[in-house]
Amino acid sequence: FQYTLRDADGDEATSTLAIDVENTGPTIPTAEPLGIIVDEGGLDQPGTIRDGIGDVLSPGDASAGDGVDDGKVSGAIPFNAGGNPVTIELAVGNGGDTGLKTLNGDRIFAAWDAEQQRLVGYIESTNPGDPANQVFLMQITDEQSGQFTFTLLQPIEHPDIDGQENGDNENIPDSYFYVDVQIEDQDCDVAYTQ
């Protein structure tokens, strides 16, 4: 806007003041998706093999077979929030189909529970709110920093590469799926990542 200054004897000077209000929405600092690894060997359930070939030890797990909770991992979704508080929503594409199966051969789907701030992996055609149907949980623990905890609750089916029943190669190749992340600030600026 333009303004005018006048001194005591009537001299005037006019100038323009520009105020630039930047809208700094959330941004993703890298194009690389965040990768996490959980190991169902930490579940101590039938169908899991502790410390099998290709197992990944949890951070700080220096000894095989020590019972460290390999089925749970914590991390942070990398993003810059910008100038406003954000909300985070998680989803799996393909109508929620993760592409994974339970040991019984049932497909595993995922649904966002906005009230609990978590992505629930569950057995297809069952109630995702029933813990008996849940296969994994990805809980957002702090939206402003992107902190989350991923907990595997049930073992999943892996390809059998050698045809041997009860072999110890269940981690070769690893099964995986992608989680889509939507980060939205108060004035509806949105950033997406996986």
Side-chain angles (χ1 to χ4, degrees):
F1 64 89
Q2 207 170 33
Y3 63 94
T4 302
L5 299 173
R6 184 174 304 132
D7 65 13
D9 64 356
D11 297 325
E12 293 183 353
T14 302
S15 187
T16 302
L17 173 64
I19 300 174
D20 183 18
V21 179
E22 289 187 15
N23 183 7
T24 57
T27 59
I28 308 302
T30 176
E32 287 292 316
L34 171 67
I36 63 169
I37 299 172
V38 292
D39 191 333
E40 58 199 11
L43 296 176
D44 285 329
Q45 293 183 5
T48 63
I49 301 170
R50 180 169 302 289
D51 302 320
I53 295 171
D55 271 5
V56 175
L57 300 175
S58 295
D61 184 1
S63 62
D66 67 357
V68 168
D69 186 9
D70 300 326
K72 184 175 184 177
V73 66
S74 295
I77 299 163
F79 72 95
N80 299 314
N84 296 309
V86 298
T87 59
I88 296 176
E89 185 173 325
L90 307 176
V92 172
N94 302 321
D97 187 353
T98 65
L100 304 176
K101 293 184 179 182
T102 67
L103 294 181
N104 293 332
D106 297 317
R107 294 182 350 172
I108 301 169
F109 277 67
W112 177 244
D113 179 345
E115 185 176 317
Q116 298 285 329
Q117 290 290 293
R118 65 185 186 177
L119 184 68
V120 179
Y122 65 98
I123 299 168
E124 179 184 26
S125 299
T126 65
N127 177 359
D130 182 347
N133 301 328
Q134 296 173 352
V135 180
F136 66 82
L137 298 172
M138 186 170 177
Q139 178 75 52
I140 299 296
T141 57
D142 182 358
E143 287 184 310
Q144 304 319 304
S145 66
Q147 296 292 315
F148 69 88
T149 300
F150 185 97
T151 306
L152 185 65
L153 303 170
Q154 294 184 33
I156 62 168
E157 183 178 89
H158 294 268
D160 185 3
I161 63 169
D162 65 4
Q164 296 178 15
E165 190 172 327
N166 298 323
D168 65 355
N169 61 1
E170 88 285 358
N171 292 311
I172 306 169
D174 288 325
S175 297
Y176 65 92
F177 67 99
Y178 291 98
V179 174
D180 299 321
V181 180
Q182 175 182 303
I183 303 160
E184 185 173 352
D185 70 9
Q186 289 178 326
D187 57 354
C188 302
D189 294 315
V190 179
Y192 299 95
T193 188
Q194 286 186 321

